[in-house]
Amino acid sequence: MQMNYNESQTRKNLMRAFAGECQSRQRYYQAALIAQQQKLIGLERMFRFTAEQEERHAMVFWKLMKAGSGSTVDISAGFPADVFDEIQQLLDASANEEDKEFSKVYPDFARIAREEGFTEAAEKFSMIAEIENIHRARFQYYAGLYKADMLFRSNDTEQCWMCLNCGHIHKGSEPPAECPVCSSARGYFIREEEAAFTSCDVVG
Ligand SMILES: [Fe+2]
Ligand SMILES: [Fe+2]
């Protein structure tokens, strides 16, 4: 049976989740700007891409709070004050936060929502937890490449690299220092398999 929404813990947890998602979005936008300043355009896009997904998560939780419209929800919660300007710190801290959301915060919120009878909220908490795990893996992947200085290096001499500016594909263990088509710097190149909506198959 569903308990009264305004007396529920789920009401507070939805507001916590909403606040958390808005902050994640903002943190990743900040990180994107730092990557952009360092001409690491692949990382910039990755942070923006993830930031937009956090924005959508915020909207999902926002809509679930409709039953409490017109009221104010007081919450206490811990939020990360990770104001970093090093790429490695940003990637590591982001992976860490995602891991907490995936492994602890949202599973707890889902369980409480289920106990209180808020099935839809429980499902959204669980499903968004799974997405946060994908985000965790994404950040960890790039943190690993960055740490190993492999962002622009591959052990595969047949690696395809895509210029994010013009779409040029380069094959080799490293992308060129400058795109031969549009002259963009190396920071525009990503591994082709990391690019959305494309395939290396057409390149001979
Ligand atoms: Fe999220
Ligand atoms: Fe996330």
Side-chain angles (χ1 to χ4, degrees):
M1 209 185 82
Q2 195 175 88
M3 75 177 290
N4 182 298
Y5 176 76
N6 284 326
E7 291 164 9
S8 71
Q9 189 63 34
T10 293
R11 173 178 181 257
K12 288 182 185 257
N13 290 342
L14 284 168
M15 186 59 89
R16 287 190 181 104
F18 175 68
E21 296 290 348
C22 290
Q23 292 181 27
S24 297
R25 168 186 177 264
Q26 193 61 31
R27 277 198 307 277
Y28 300 158
Y29 271 130
Q30 303 286 136
L33 292 177
I34 291 168
Q36 185 185 35
Q37 282 161 7
Q38 298 190 20
K39 305 262 189 303
L40 296 169
I41 307 306
L43 287 184
E44 180 211 341
R45 301 280 171 87
M46 185 278 293
F47 272 117
R48 283 188 193 280
F49 182 72
T50 313
E52 280 179 18
Q53 293 176 352
E54 305 301 9
E55 181 182 271
R56 297 319 191 275
H57 299 175
M59 284 165 68
V60 170
F61 294 131
W62 176 251
K63 286 180 185 163
L64 283 167
M65 294 191 290
K66 193 167 174 54
S69 292
S71 66
T72 298
V73 183
D74 291 322
I75 55 165
S76 70
F79 297 108
D82 291 338
V83 186
F84 295 130
D85 38 36
E86 297 283 335
I87 294 291
Q88 189 71 56
Q89 290 173 311
L90 290 165
L91 290 168
D92 289 341
S94 302
N96 193 29
E97 270 316 300
E98 297 286 1
D99 187 54
K100 276 190 213 151
E101 286 178 352
F102 158 68
S103 59
K104 175 88 181 95
V105 179
Y106 287 159
D108 282 352
F109 288 0
R111 177 182 47 77
I112 291 164
R114 218 170 292 117
E115 286 166 5
E116 292 183 338
F118 298 103
T119 316
E120 192 184 358
E123 283 171 0
K124 302 293 188 200
F125 282 133
S126 293
M127 286 190 284
I128 289 178
E130 292 301 323
I131 300 169
E132 307 305 4
N133 193 31
I134 294 166
H135 289 178
R136 175 202 56 75
R138 181 181 300 155
F139 287 127
Q140 268 181 357
Y141 168 75
Y142 284 103
L145 285 181
Y146 191 84
K147 193 168 189 175
D149 196 20
M150 293 293 277
L151 215 48
F152 304 111
R153 223 150 30 91
S154 169
N155 296 323
D156 178 4
T157 55
E158 296 281 289
Q159 176 68 49
C160 286
W161 303 87
M162 174 179 269
C163 170
L164 285 171
N165 192 50
C166 72
H168 170 66
I169 295 223
H170 170 90
K171 252 190 197 181
S173 55
E174 290 183 10
E178 189 177 88
C179 176
V181 178
C182 71
S183 305
S184 288
R186 173 167 286 182
Y188 277 83
F189 280 89
I190 59 170
R191 285 165 170 77
E192 182 275 342
E193 63 270 21
E194 297 165 356
F197 321 121
T198 189
S199 165
C200 184
D201 295 346
V202 293
V203 180

